Amino acid sequence: TALQCGQAQSAQLRCVGCNSTSPGDWPWMARLLYKENIGQGSLVTSCGGVLVSSRHVITAGHCLVAGQEPDRVALGDSNISTEFDCLDTENGCRMAGRQCFESGLCAPRHVEVPVRAVVKHPEYEPCEDCVPFYDIAVIVLDDLVRFSSFIQPACLLSPHSDKAAPLVMTGWGNIQGGFSG
């Protein structure tokens, strides 16, 4: 069966506003990985994005600050604390790591794709204590992404689409109101 954009592969209920979702619930989620200044070879997540094609990720312009652009993009990851994500998030897995994946209880390991280029909106300008205009950017990946049940592009709206459709925000950040830095 052919994969289509915007079609989550998981049949489980999605947990929005709580701690976890199942692998494949949001297959277009992308984690931007930045080189950390302190650790050697260490990568940290500071922003997310949305996979929209086999080579492009859309993110916020403020995620691409000069001198601090992402080095890689992680795709197919739903739990950043595990190497292989458990498919049964309600009951958990009896094993972990590669053994869990080989037994069919865990999703494959996420993939990390190098960033080839970043393109911010030409009119984007950062500002303090305001909501910036044109806060959007495109990340061009160095390699083509192979789609799977856990990695798929989101659909982009056509000019004739129903703009009243519900929108969902996803990420790996806070699950309660407020900011934690």
Side-chain angles (χ1 to χ4, degrees):
T1 161
L3 297 175
Q4 296 179 355
C5 69
Q7 301 296 313
Q9 298 300 303
S10 172
Q12 296 183 4
L13 290 175
R14 296 189 183 98
C15 179
V16 178
C18 34
N19 289 324
S20 61
T21 62
S22 297
D25 279 351
W26 310 105
W28 41 84
M29 283 180 60
R31 270 191 314 127
L32 308 189
L33 303 173
Y34 300 79
K35 286 185 178 175
E36 193 172 33
N37 293 333
I38 2 178
Q40 223 180 22
S42 180
L43 295 172
V44 296
T45 300
S46 295
C47 279
V50 177
L51 183 68
V52 294
S53 79
S54 59
R55 194 178 292 272
H56 300 94
V57 171
I58 294 178
T59 190
H62 68 261
C63 292
L64 306 176
V65 182
Q68 294 183 340
E69 294 176 348
D71 183 64
R72 298 179 163 274
V73 173
L75 300 165
D77 203 0
S78 62
N79 182 346
I80 63 173
S81 66
T82 61
E83 184 178 7
F84 297 91
D85 299 341
C86 184
L87 294 170
D88 185 355
T89 54
E90 190 173 312
N91 299 312
C93 290
R94 296 182 310 274
M95 51 189 92
R98 179 160 295 283
Q99 183 183 14
C100 183
F101 168 67
E102 289 172 352
S103 70
L105 298 174
C106 285
R109 186 183 184 283
H110 69 274
V111 297
E112 293 181 10
V113 185
V115 171
R116 174 180 289 180
V118 295
V119 182
K120 284 187 271 190
H121 191 287
E123 295 184 49
Y124 169 72
E125 296 206 14
C127 59
E128 289 187 36
D129 299 323
C130 71
V131 176
F133 291 102
Y134 311 107
D135 189 12
I136 191 165
V138 175
I139 296 172
V140 181
L141 302 174
D142 200 35
D143 300 316
L144 291 176
V145 173
R146 173 173 271 147
F147 298 144
S148 70
S149 296
F150 307 102
I151 301 173
Q152 296 178 46
C155 298
L156 297 177
L157 292 176
S158 73
H160 308 292
S161 65
D162 177 12
K163 293 187 177 45
L167 300 174
V168 177
M169 181 180 278
T170 61
W172 292 272
N174 292 341
I175 58 170
Q176 297 177 344
F179 176 76
S180 173

